[in-house]
Amino acid sequence: MKLYDLEASGNCYKVRLFAALADIELERVPVDLANGAHKKPPLSEMNPLRQVPVLEDDGHVVRDSQAILVYLAGTYGGLAWWPDHARGQAEIVQWLSFAANEVQHSLSAARLVEKFGYPLDKEAALAKAPAVLALLDAHLETNDWLAMGRPTIADCAVYPYVVLAPEGSVDLGPYGNVARWMTRLESLPGYLPRP
Amino acid sequence: MKLYDLEASGNCYKVRLFAALADIELERVPVDLANGAHKKPPLSEMNPLRQVPVLEDDGHVVRDSQAILVYLAGTYGGLAWWPDHARGQAEIVQWLSFAANEVQHSLSAARLVEKFGYPLDKEAALAKAPAVLALLDAHLETNDWLAMGRPTIADCAVYPYVVLAPEGSVDLGPYGNVARWMTRLESLPGYLPRP
């Protein structure tokens, strides 16, 4: 099973982190984004959004980090990480949307500008960050994990751009519950440190 | 089962559309967003993101339009709309992320500025729209539906802000495959017209 991958990408780290925690073996195929490999075949055909990560499992292709988490957990990860009932799946999907929307357009966008020079509005991204982190912090005041009272792919989808947020000049200092949640996740067997 | 709802919201329309197509009965509870009802209890406690839609099913609360689609389809919709295997679920989640990220920050954002005066960057939103629609159009050149070769919640998550895009000054004219997909969806039994 191949993961088309970029070491510095938080979206790729979501997948690598989950695979490490769930003990799923991935063959990492580095993608040379600096030279536009994601804009040429075969990558551009595997993912018309021209992004990594992309997963290829015996010819079956999955794009989008959230979808790859669902695929890997549902196929190889067992029911602990992605349950087989709609109530639990929906509880997790709330956080997958939060990762794709709120986290992507605040913590991740600020880092993309600062670390990689992406032409995004860093001020707008930074302005959204405190509300995103405050919401997370409030949830984690009474919950050890994002969903279902245990580690799931919801945590793997949200943690990477939180732990990487200081690379976009976001201060995590005020969010003690978030810090304790990160420590819990970092203490899980198999934890893969951030890039 | 109660849907906390706003008629003009495309995110709420995703849920109403799916419920109509799958013949699921919802009690609509209008939320007075103009007077900030979403920022006060009980809504602010049901959804700390302070957004609609919110679903309440016998005391169980689900926020986020994509998560509500998963919950409704998985609980009441049968396997046609949301399958019980990870490969199909991941194929659909690709499009749920596309709805929460790419569609939300292009077609939906432009409409929020133009129709409701939201303080977002309309030029940036409009600049993203052609790539989003071109990607959709290319997919629909060889696919009748977004996922699994049949109507699923993926279509219900993406269609609303596409059909509403002209309200944000987005021209759908160049995208013939998108137009034919919309016509197919609008021909399904139970189809609920856009707000």
Side-chain angles (χ1 to χ4, degrees):
Chain A
M1 193 155 49
K2 288 180 184 169
L3 179 69
Y4 292 86
D5 186 39
L6 179 73
E7 173 69 17
S9 158
N11 283 318
C12 293
Y13 177 43
K14 294 177 189 176
V15 178
R16 296 195 305 266
L17 171 64
F18 170 66
L21 291 171
D23 200 19
I24 297 168
E25 202 170 325
L26 295 175
E27 179 193 342
R28 290 174 61 180
V29 182
V31 175
D32 187 359
L33 264 79
N35 284 309
H38 55 306
K39 299 179 183 171
K40 302 170 199 159
L43 258 293
S44 62
E45 288 166 358
M46 297 169 85
N47 184 3
L49 282 167
R50 299 171 171 206
Q51 296 166 345
V52 286
V54 174
L55 186 80
E56 185 183 352
D57 184 10
D58 200 16
H60 180 67
V61 173
V62 187
R63 62 166 166 81
D64 179 73
S65 53
Q66 282 72 236
I68 294 172
L69 292 177
V70 168
Y71 179 80
L72 285 178
T75 309
Y76 302 108
L79 292 174
W81 298 96
W82 174 249
D84 60 355
H85 53 86
R87 183 181 282 222
Q89 290 170 349
E91 192 180 339
I92 290 172
V93 169
Q94 291 177 143
W95 294 104
L96 300 188
S97 287
F98 185 74
N101 182 353
E102 283 80 6
V103 175
Q104 186 70 37
H105 292 270
S106 60
L107 311 184
S108 170
R111 176 175 176 263
L112 284 174
V113 177
E114 181 158 328
K115 196 171 163 82
F116 303 104
Y118 273 52
L120 301 170
D121 185 342
K122 189 178 171 190
E123 291 314 306
L126 286 175
K128 290 178 197 169
V132 168
L133 288 165
L135 188 147
L136 205 52
D137 202 67
H139 179 79
L140 291 164
E141 189 169 347
T142 50
N143 296 276
D144 278 355
W145 304 100
L146 293 186
M148 306 190 70
R150 62 173 190 253
T152 67
I153 57 170
D155 303 285
C156 296
V158 173
Y159 168 86
Y161 283 116
V162 175
V163 75
L164 294 170
E167 294 185 4
S169 296
V170 173
D171 179 14
L172 297 177
Y175 310 103
N177 300 310
V178 170
R180 285 183 283 279
W181 164 71
M182 292 198 293
T183 302
R184 277 192 293 279
L185 195 144
E186 290 156 8
S187 306
L188 291 175
Y191 170 75
L192 179 77
R194 61 176 161 170
Chain B
M1 192 154 48
K2 288 180 183 168
L3 178 69
Y4 292 86
D5 187 39
L6 179 73
E7 172 69 17
S9 158
N11 283 318
C12 292
Y13 177 43
K14 295 176 190 177
V15 177
R16 296 195 306 266
L17 171 64
F18 170 66
L21 291 171
D23 199 19
I24 297 168
E25 201 169 327
L26 295 176
E27 178 193 342
R28 291 174 60 179
V29 182
V31 176
D32 188 359
L33 263 78
N35 284 310
H38 55 307
K39 298 179 184 172
K40 301 170 200 160
L43 258 294
S44 62
E45 288 167 359
M46 297 170 85
N47 184 3
L49 281 168
R50 299 172 171 204
Q51 295 165 345
V52 286
V54 174
L55 186 81
E56 185 183 353
D57 184 10
D58 199 16
H60 182 66
V61 172
V62 187
R63 63 167 167 79
D64 180 71
S65 52
Q66 282 71 237
I68 294 172
L69 291 176
V70 168
Y71 179 80
L72 285 178
T75 310
Y76 302 108
L79 291 175
W81 298 95
W82 173 249
D84 60 355
H85 53 87
R87 185 182 282 222
Q89 290 171 349
E91 194 180 337
I92 289 172
V93 169
Q94 292 176 348
W95 294 104
L96 300 188
S97 287
F98 185 74
N101 181 353
E102 283 82 4
V103 174
Q104 186 70 35
H105 291 271
S106 60
L107 311 183
S108 169
R111 176 175 177 264
L112 284 174
V113 177
E114 181 158 327
K115 195 170 163 83
F116 303 102
Y118 273 51
L120 301 170
D121 184 342
K122 190 178 172 190
E123 292 313 306
L126 286 175
K128 291 178 197 168
V132 169
L133 288 165
L135 187 147
L136 207 51
D137 203 68
H139 179 80
L140 291 164
E141 189 168 347
T142 50
N143 296 277
D144 278 354
W145 304 100
L146 293 186
M148 304 190 71
R150 63 173 190 254
T152 66
I153 58 170
D155 303 284
C156 296
V158 173
Y159 168 87
Y161 283 115
V162 175
V163 75
L164 294 170
E167 294 185 5
S169 296
V170 173
D171 179 14
L172 296 178
Y175 310 102
N177 300 311
V178 170
R180 286 182 284 279
W181 164 69
M182 291 198 293
T183 302
R184 276 192 293 280
L185 194 144
E186 290 157 8
S187 305
L188 292 175
Y191 170 75
L192 179 78
R194 61 177 162 171

